[in-house]
């Protein structure tokens, strides 16, 4: 039996081997070609990559800040809102949140995470949409720091190359620090500190796990999804970050559950500029902008910013000043009458208004209870003689009784159109201190009005016949935005520091700084030429005629005659007949040039022209007038006003330094050095100490016995002077600690402040002095009472004067200070004895 024999073909085996070898060779060649091509493409695309600077040379642009004297933020200047943090201030929970969200293998890869790319592709394919990105934190840093955001293959290759180089140059901690300070997180917030402060109102060190996760989740599409926009989508993304933190072991189950249950609650961004000290803050912003001018266009890596300008403004005093100025303007505005409703709505728009008002009140946190001092809008739904029914929101309405709006008579101006000629003419009188008799004459249904919380009307024994439009309470009071304006400025006379500066009653309506605006100062000019008379050697005891002053046909006092009196008494009483004669005497002796030289030394910038009328007022700014009085307060040394203490750059280097030697924040050695550098006292003196002291003593009597006597309620020594004109009223004065000026006036001069030009019934003493008192009462509260005029300086003597003759009084008399050598040396004659009735009967 012949067995089966299997015959094999050697050529066939060789064929398969050749094919396998061919495939291997071709594969290797292909790989070499692909590799060389890829390498060539990499080299080609990487040929002009940007240079990566040393870590210490990187300077991101950051926020420049204006701060009050005690550190509160007054305003910020920036192109990108960024607050730079050192690495040690980055909390672990925030770092962990970003690593879990953006780059879980950050500490393992070298800039490009190949595993992460493959995982992202698989995740996105399974989801059917893009759910996970593949860019590492280093790649994102490279894109933001050195490249553009264009979506091209070329940019991705260049990004990977730059990321690899960054990993070679910087440590992981440095990369994280740059990334977390640089990244954009929506709502104009750059960097994690800006996002933390902006969204949650807290430093990064205070963030919860949920808040840190929310910030990290905002990095993906910051303009579309962030804590302030699209919160539902952000919560879903935040929860994914929290779960990733749990999976990565950054947090435990308890923290994860608490974070998932936490609501996303953002805070309202504070308006530091408008709510605090807007006028000085704007000036500080201008200074900061000028200092940063050279940094514009330098690019991200060379941006500086980070300037801090510290002001002299005391924010507590600033708020007191703002409140006092607003109340003064609002009080006068009510005296002038009701300017009418803010708007009048048809009935079909009432619901829309109340819902919008509710949304506004909710944003302020006032939806359930409106604070007592807050102004808010209301809609009149009905009005009768005794009251009006007012709706605030769909669920809140109340009563506006006549007793809370009796001031609301129609407001009038003197610029009216003559129907016959069509030209403007003046009426002799305008509205002032009227009394409204019926609510329905001032308000109609549909009127939108300004309100505050009000008092209930007083109950009457007899029931009124008029029926109220609804049930009582809550009760409101009618308010209106002031028509007149007010300004208030306060300084330390010794250091020149500006403590408070209010240039407008409402910064949202007007940004104009009225402390730098020229106005007529009225009788506040009198201490300028009275002090010059004292400096010329004219005794304050000189008796001057009180008969009506005439210059040609000009008779300013309209024939009103007063008794003859001393200069000292005339300034105390602000008597015009005598004052005009004193002004003319000064001009006759030193000329207009001599008076201008004196006024310039005191602080005025506009010269006198030599007209007699200037004895009753010239143009000056509130700031200049305060300079004059601060010079008197500072014993003749004119202070240099400043609202800037010191300006430093981001490295702490001083760019501007206006600190006084009296500043308590500087060292004793520095204080002495500044005092020496300021030069001898004689060189800094504007007027002699004796003249300053006599003028101050004279202005003390203005407060004790003259037009400023309301200020005695402060219970401490005060010197000052009022000024009253048809469009402006003033009070400027000082205590030993603070000097301040208060002004109330009409910007457009559409009407007089008061009823008429001759009899206005609005005075410096009752309109400008009350806000000054309100401010100074709180500003000096708790300070010891000091009398800075208790002892006259060398060269000043005080003598008792017989005011009828200006000579030494034989008994009693008025004590008047004089420059030594100008005091009278003769006694007043003995009055002739008047015979008694018994003596007369003997004749």
């Amino acid at each position: 039996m012949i067995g089966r024999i299997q015959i094999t073909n050697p050529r066939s085996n060789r064929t398969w081997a050749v094919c396998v070898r061919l495939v291997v060779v071709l594969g290797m060649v292909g790989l070499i070609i692909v590799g060389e091509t890829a390498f060539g493409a990499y080299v080609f695309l990487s040929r002009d990559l940007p240079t990566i600077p040393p870590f210490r040379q990187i300077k991101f642009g950051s926020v420049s800040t204006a701060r009050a004297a005690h550190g509160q933020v007054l305003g910020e200047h920036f192109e990108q809102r960024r607050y730079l943090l050192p690495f040690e201030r980055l909390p672990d929970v925030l770092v962990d949140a970003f690593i879990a969200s953006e780059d879980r293998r950050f500490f393992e890869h070298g800039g490009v995470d190949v595993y992460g790319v493959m995982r992202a592709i698989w995740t996105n394919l399974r989801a059917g949409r893009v759910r996970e990105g593949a860019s590492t934190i280093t790649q994102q840093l490279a894109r933001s720091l050195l490249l553009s955001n264009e979506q091209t293959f070329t940019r991705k290759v260049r990004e990977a190359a730059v990321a690899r180089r960054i990993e070679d140059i910087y440590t992981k901690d440095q990369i994280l620090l740059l990334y977390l300070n640089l990244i954009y997180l929506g709502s104009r917030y750059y960097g994690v500190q800006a996002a933390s402060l902006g969204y949650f109102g807290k430093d990064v060190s205070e963030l919860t796990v949920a808040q840190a996760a929310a910030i990290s989740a905002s990095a993906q599409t910051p303009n579309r999804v962030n804590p302030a926009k699209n919160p539902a989508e952000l919560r879903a993304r935040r929860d994914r970050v929290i779960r990733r933190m749990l999976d990565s072991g950054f947090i435990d189950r308890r923290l994860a559950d608490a974070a998932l249950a936490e609501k996303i609650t953002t805070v309202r961004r504070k308006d530091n500029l408008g709510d605090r000290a807007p006028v000085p803050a704007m000036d500080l912003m201008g200074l900061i902008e000028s200092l940063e001018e050279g940094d514009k266009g330098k690019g991200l890596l060379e941006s500086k910013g980070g300037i801090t300008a510290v002001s002299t403004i005391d924010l507590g005093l600033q708020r007191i000043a703002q409140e006092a100025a607003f109340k003064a303007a609002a009080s006068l505005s009510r005296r002038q009458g009701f300017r009418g409703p803010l708007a009048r709505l048809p009935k079909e728009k009432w619901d829309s208004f109340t819902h919008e008002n509710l949304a506004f009140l909710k944003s302020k946190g006032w939806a359930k209870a409106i604070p007592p001092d807050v102004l808010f809008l209301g809609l009149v739904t009905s009005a009768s003689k005794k009251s009006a029914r007012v709706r605030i929101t769909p669920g809140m309405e109340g009563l506006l009784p006549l007793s809370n709006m009796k001031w609301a008579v129609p407001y009038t101006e003197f610029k009216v159109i003559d129907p016959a000629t069509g030209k403007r003419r003046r009426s002799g009188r305008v509205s002032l201190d009227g009394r409204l008799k019926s609510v329905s004459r001032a308000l109609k249904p549909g009127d939108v009005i300004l309100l505050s919380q009000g008092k209930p009307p007083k109950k009457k024994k007899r029931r009124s016949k008029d029926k109220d439009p609804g049930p009582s309470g809550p009760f409101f009071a009618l308010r209106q935005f002031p028509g007149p304006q007010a300004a208030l400025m306060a300084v330390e006379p010794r250091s020149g520091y500006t403590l408070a500066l209010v240039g407008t009653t409402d910064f949202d309506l007007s940004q104009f700084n009225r402390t730098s605006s020229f106005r007529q100062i009225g009788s506040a000019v009198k201490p300028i030429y009275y002090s010059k008379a004292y400096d010329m050697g004219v005794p304050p005891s000189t008796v001057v005629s009180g008969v009506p002053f005439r210059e040609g046909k000009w008779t300013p006092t309209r024939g009103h005659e007063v008794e003859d009196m001393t200069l000292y008494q005339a300034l105390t009483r602000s008597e015009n007949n005598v004052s005009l004669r004193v002004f003319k005497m000064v001009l006759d002796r030193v000329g207009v040039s001599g008076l201008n030289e004196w006024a310039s030394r005191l602080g005025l910038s506009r010269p006198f022209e030599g007209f007699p009328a200037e004895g009753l007022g010239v143009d000056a700014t509130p700031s200049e007038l305060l300079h004059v009085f601060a010079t008197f307060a500072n014993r003749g040394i004119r202070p240099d006003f400043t609202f800037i203490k010191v300006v430093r750059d981001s490295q702490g280097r001083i760019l501007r330094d206006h600190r006084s030697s009296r500043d308590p924040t500087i060292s004793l050695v520095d204080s002495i050095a500044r005092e020496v550098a300021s030069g001898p006292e004689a060189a800094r003196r504007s007027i002699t100490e004796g003249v300053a002291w006599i003028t101050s003593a004279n202005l003390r009597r203005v407060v004790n016995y003259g037009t400023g006597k309301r200020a005695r309620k402060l219970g401490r020594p005060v010197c000052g002077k009022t000024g009253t004109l048809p469009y402006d009223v003033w009070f400027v004065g000082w205590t030993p600690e603070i000097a301040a000026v208060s002004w109330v006036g009409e910007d457009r001069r559409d009407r007089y402040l008061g009823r008429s030009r001759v009899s206005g019934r609005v005075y410096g003493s009752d309109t400008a002095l009350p806000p000054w008192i309100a401010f100074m009462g709180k500003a000096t509260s708790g300070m010891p009472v000091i009398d800075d005029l208790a002892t006259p300086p060398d060269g000043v003597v005080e003598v008792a004067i017989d005011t009828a003759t200006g000579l030494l009084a034989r008994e009693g008399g008025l004590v008047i200070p004089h420059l030594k050598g100008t005091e009278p040396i003769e006694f007043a004659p003995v009055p002739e004895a008047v015979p008694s009735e018994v003596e007369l009967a003997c004749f």
Side-chain angles (χ1 to χ4, degrees):
M1 179 177 177
I2 299 173
R4 293 182 180 181
I5 300 174
Q6 184 176 0
I7 301 174
T8 61
N9 188 346
R11 179 174 294 181
S12 176
N13 292 336
R14 288 197 298 271
T15 300
W16 279 104
V18 169
C19 289
V20 170
R21 285 196 296 272
L22 181 62
V23 170
V24 171
V25 170
L26 290 175
M28 293 177 64
V29 171
L31 286 173
I32 292 172
I33 294 173
V34 169
E36 289 184 350
T37 303
F39 179 75
Y42 176 84
V43 172
F44 176 78
L45 295 174
S46 303
R47 71 190 186 283
D48 57 349
L49 288 176
T51 301
I52 300 173
F55 180 79
R56 293 186 179 276
Q57 291 185 9
I58 296 179
K59 296 178 180 178
F60 293 154
S62 58
V63 173
S64 292
T65 308
R67 296 186 178 274
H70 298 105
Q72 304 96 330
V73 175
L74 297 180
E76 295 177 326
H77 182 268
F78 56 88
E79 292 184 4
Q80 296 182 347
R81 188 188 291 271
R82 177 183 289 110
Y83 306 95
L84 298 178
L85 294 176
F87 188 79
E88 56 269 18
R89 286 196 58 199
L90 293 173
D92 291 342
V93 65
L94 190 62
V95 173
D96 293 343
F98 271 93
I99 290 176
S101 173
E102 299 296 314
D103 191 356
R104 282 185 283 183
R105 298 184 67 252
F106 172 72
F107 289 103
E108 301 171 22
H109 62 68
V112 178
D113 185 6
V114 178
Y115 175 78
V117 172
M118 298 178 63
R119 184 186 69 245
I121 294 174
W122 175 247
T123 301
N124 294 335
L125 286 175
R126 289 180 60 189
R129 58 189 177 91
V130 178
R131 289 194 57 182
E132 186 174 330
S135 291
T136 64
I137 285 178
T138 313
Q139 287 177 275
Q140 294 180 51
L141 176 63
R143 180 169 63 246
S144 300
L145 193 62
L146 301 166
L147 302 172
S148 67
N149 286 319
E150 60 178 340
Q151 298 294 322
T152 63
F153 174 76
T154 299
R155 197 269 298 164
K156 293 295 288 185
V157 173
R158 290 167 61 82
E159 177 185 295
V162 172
R164 186 68 190 87
R165 292 185 182 182
I166 287 175
E167 291 276 350
D168 290 338
I169 296 174
Y170 301 154
T171 67
K172 289 290 187 179
D173 287 351
Q174 290 173 336
I175 292 171
L176 274 176
L177 178 63
L178 293 174
Y179 174 75
L180 294 177
N181 274 313
L182 178 68
I183 187 171
Y184 178 60
L185 294 164
S187 301
R188 301 184 68 196
Y189 298 138
Y190 291 82
V192 292
Q193 177 72 341
S196 180
L197 293 171
Y199 290 133
F200 303 115
K202 57 175 66 174
D203 186 85
V204 290
S205 62
E206 301 171 350
L207 290 173
T208 64
V209 172
Q211 290 169 340
I215 290 176
S216 67
S218 303
Q220 300 172 17
T221 52
N223 284 324
R224 187 174 65 85
V225 181
N226 60 58
K229 186 183 291 186
N230 203 346
E233 174 63 21
L234 178 70
R235 178 154 190 167
R237 294 186 181 185
R238 181 206 69 175
D239 291 351
R240 284 200 296 272
V241 173
I242 294 172
R243 294 188 185 97
R244 287 181 180 180
M245 293 176 72
L246 176 63
D247 294 340
S248 300
F250 294 141
I251 56 175
D252 56 25
R253 172 58 65 182
R254 180 183 60 81
L255 286 175
D257 290 343
L260 291 170
E262 186 175 317
K263 294 181 179 180
I264 298 176
T265 304
T266 59
V267 297
R268 174 177 167 267
R269 184 185 298 175
K270 293 181 179 179
D271 180 15
N272 290 322
L273 179 63
D275 291 345
R276 292 185 170 176
V279 171
M282 288 297 291
D283 288 340
L284 285 170
M285 292 295 99
L287 172 62
I288 288 172
E289 187 173 1
S290 68
L291 293 173
E292 291 182 343
E293 195 68 32
D295 297 328
K296 289 186 176 180
K298 285 188 174 181
L300 180 64
L301 294 180
E302 298 176 343
S303 298
K304 291 184 179 178
I307 292 174
T308 300
V310 180
S311 171
T312 61
I313 297 295
D314 184 310
L315 192 54
L317 298 183
Q318 176 71 22
R319 288 178 170 171
I320 295 169
Q322 288 175 173
E323 181 182 355
F326 182 85
K327 286 185 176 180
S331 176
L332 178 58
S333 182
R334 288 194 295 272
R335 291 184 63 190
Q336 292 177 343
F338 184 47
R339 286 176 165 78
L342 300 174
R344 181 166 290 166
L345 301 179
K347 196 165 186 177
E348 58 268 21
K349 292 188 177 181
W350 289 10
D351 287 344
S352 175
F353 167 81
T354 54
H355 281 89
E356 289 181 10
N357 210 23
L358 175 62
F360 171 78
L361 294 175
K362 281 184 176 179
S363 70
K364 298 285 189 177
W366 302 334
K368 295 182 179 180
I370 302 176
D373 296 331
V374 166
L375 301 180
F376 53 93
L377 298 180
L379 177 71
V380 178
T381 58
S382 62
S384 68
K385 182 178 180 180
K386 295 295 184 182
S387 62
R389 199 70 187 167
V390 183
R391 187 175 300 160
I392 312 302
T393 68
M396 182 191 300
E397 62 178 56
L399 205 65
L400 174 57
L402 176 61
S403 59
N404 288 346
M405 58 174 291
K406 280 194 172 183
W407 58 269
V409 297
Y411 167 85
T412 59
E413 298 176 350
F414 55 57
K415 289 185 177 180
V416 297
I417 303 296
D418 189 328
T421 63
K423 297 181 179 180
R424 294 187 179 273
R425 60 179 173 84
R426 289 188 178 185
S427 60
R429 296 162 70 90
V430 288
S431 55
L432 187 77
D433 295 334
R435 302 294 288 174
L436 185 68
K437 296 182 178 180
S438 173
V439 173
S440 59
R441 292 190 62 184
L443 301 177
K444 306 295 180 187
D447 284 351
V448 177
I449 55 178
L450 192 67
L451 300 167
S452 68
Q453 300 287 1
K455 297 179 180 179
K458 293 182 179 179
K459 294 182 179 180
K460 294 183 179 181
K461 294 181 179 180
R462 285 192 308 167
R463 189 173 181 180
S464 173
K465 294 182 180 180
D466 181 67
K467 294 183 179 179
D468 289 337
S472 62
F475 298 99
F476 305 127
L478 183 65
R479 295 288 183 261
Q480 68 180 359
F481 293 113
Q485 280 287 343
L488 198 154
M489 181 177 177
V491 300
E492 285 182 348
R494 307 294 183 266
S495 66
Y497 282 177
T498 301
L499 302 176
L501 195 157
V502 181
T504 176
T505 55
D506 192 326
F507 189 74
D508 292 331
L509 299 178
S510 171
Q511 290 80 48
F512 183 64
N513 178 13
R514 289 162 185 81
T515 65
S516 299
S517 173
F518 282 93
R519 308 288 302 195
Q520 265 283 325
I521 62 175
S523 292
V525 73
K526 292 175 181 175
I528 295 175
Y529 58 82
Y530 270 85
S531 61
K532 181 57 180 176
Y534 299 153
D535 181 70
M536 290 167 16
V538 178
S541 57
T542 303
V543 177
V544 181
S545 172
V547 300
F549 180 88
R550 288 182 175 85
E551 184 76 16
K553 295 182 179 181
W554 184 60
T555 309
T557 57
R558 300 178 183 271
H560 176 67
E561 183 174 349
V562 297
E563 62 183 4
D564 298 348
M565 63 184 71
T566 65
L567 270 68
Y568 203 69
Q569 290 173 298
L571 181 55
T572 299
R573 301 180 189 179
S574 195
E575 208 296 306
N576 288 340
N577 284 325
V578 175
S579 295
L580 287 168
R581 288 185 170 86
V582 174
F583 182 66
K584 190 173 185 303
M585 176 182 62
V586 171
L587 288 177
D588 289 343
R589 290 203 186 181
V590 300
V592 68
S593 60
L595 178 59
N596 283 330
E597 190 270 341
W598 181 262
S600 177
R601 281 156 57 184
L602 287 172
L604 293 193
S605 63
R606 287 191 177 180
F608 287 83
E609 296 183 21
F611 299 116
E614 292 175 322
L616 300 182
V618 294
D619 286 343
T621 69
S623 177
E624 288 181 353
L625 188 58
L626 186 57
H627 252 125
V628 172
F629 281 69
T631 302
F632 294 142
N634 203 24
R635 296 292 182 95
I637 298 176
R638 178 181 164 186
D640 293 324
F641 288 177
T642 181
F643 61 90
I644 301 169
K645 274 191 179 184
V646 63
V647 181
R648 290 186 171 91
D649 66 11
S650 59
Q651 305 301 312
R653 295 185 293 256
I654 293 177
L655 305 178
R656 298 284 191 279
D657 192 352
H658 301 290
R659 288 174 293 177
S660 165
S661 60
R662 300 173 182 270
D663 193 316
T665 64
I666 64 176
S667 67
L668 177 61
V669 174
D670 196 5
S671 176
I672 295 173
R674 290 170 189 271
E675 191 68 28
V676 172
S678 65
E681 181 180 295
R684 294 180 285 129
R685 182 169 293 284
S686 296
I687 63 176
T688 65
E689 183 178 10
V691 169
W693 195 93
I694 292 171
T695 308
S696 299
N698 211 161
L699 294 173
R700 174 74 56 82
R701 285 190 63 84
V702 172
V703 171
N704 290 339
Y705 304 103
T707 56
K709 58 187 176 184
R710 287 174 184 249
R712 291 184 300 181
K713 68 187 297 183
L714 288 179
R716 63 178 62 242
V718 175
C719 305
K721 185 71 183 72
T722 58
T724 300
L725 300 108
Y727 302 103
D728 308 86
V729 289
W730 300 81
F731 184 81
V732 56
W734 72 90
T735 67
E737 303 83 13
I738 300 173
V741 59
S742 170
W743 167 85
V744 180
E746 290 281 355
D747 271 349
R748 298 184 301 156
R749 302 192 175 188
D750 289 333
R751 57 158 290 156
Y752 301 122
L753 288 177
R755 185 180 294 277
S756 66
R757 186 180 189 90
V758 177
S759 179
R761 288 164 41 186
V762 173
Y763 308 101
S765 59
D766 65 11
T767 303
L769 181 52
W772 190 95
I773 294 171
F775 170 78
M776 294 294 280
K778 293 181 179 178
T780 60
S781 177
M783 293 183 179
V785 177
I786 300 173
D787 185 359
D788 56 338
L789 301 179
T791 304
D794 293 339
V796 174
V797 295
E798 294 180 296
V799 292
I801 299 296
D802 176 71
T803 56
T805 62
L807 301 176
L808 296 175
R810 292 186 176 273
E811 58 181 20
L814 175 63
V815 176
I816 299 179
H818 292 69
L819 291 178
K820 193 171 184 179
T822 66
E823 73 276 13
I825 57 176
E826 297 181 10
F827 283 91
V830 178
E832 295 182 5
V834 179
S836 66
E837 294 183 3
V838 175
E839 292 174 324
L840 291 173
C842 296
F843 289 94

